[in-house]
């Protein structure tokens, strides 16, 4: 996974409750409804972003929001299947 090799950060856009039930080690939890308010913070990290959620729907929306704000991002899909790929 090329993004990972470039030091990508993983942002899990599920709710805090969902995230607390299991997540990718080292991922950041920023629920989808909060993503717009965190754009500047994410930009400052200056790294590509892989988004994930439960199934890939919310992470797809988050990746699109990040891309539209000039952040290199990709939808990693469901967190458990992404975790298996890493």
């Amino acid at each position: 996974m090329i993004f990972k090799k470039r030091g990508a950060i993983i942002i899990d856009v599920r709710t805090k409750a969902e995230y607390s039930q299991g997540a990718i080690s080292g991922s950041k939890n920023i629920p989808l409804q909060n993503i717009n308010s965190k754009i500047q913070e994410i930009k400052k990290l200056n790294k590509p972003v892989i988004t994930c959620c439960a199934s890939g729907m919310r992470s797809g929306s988050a990746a699109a929001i990040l891309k539209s704000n000039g952040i290199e991002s990709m939808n990693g899909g469901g967190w458990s299947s992404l975790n298996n790929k890493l």
Side-chain angles (χ1 to χ4, degrees):
M1 185 171 272
I2 190 115
F3 263 55
K4 194 68 180 152
K5 287 190 183 90
R6 292 180 39 226
I9 54 166
I10 297 168
I11 296 179
D12 191 317
V13 298
R14 296 175 297 152
T15 63
K16 293 246 179 277
E18 287 174 292
Y19 186 79
S20 69
Q21 291 169 1
I24 296 172
S25 174
S27 64
K28 294 185 185 309
N29 180 219
I30 304 175
L32 179 59
Q33 62 269 29
N34 301 343
I35 209 92
N36 277 310
S37 66
K38 300 284 188 182
I39 295 293
Q40 291 311 316
E41 192 180 305
I42 296 166
K43 274 188 173 174
K44 281 185 192 136
L45 299 171
N46 204 20
K47 291 182 185 293
V49 173
I50 302 169
T51 57
C52 65
C53 63
S55 68
M57 293 296 290
R58 287 174 285 179
S59 55
S61 299
I65 291 166
L66 295 173
K67 271 190 183 120
S68 72
N69 282 279
I71 298 167
E72 188 181 357
S73 59
M74 68 169 275
N75 179 3
W79 77 270
S80 59
S81 63
L82 176 61
N83 198 24
N84 293 336
K85 291 176 197 160
L86 295 175

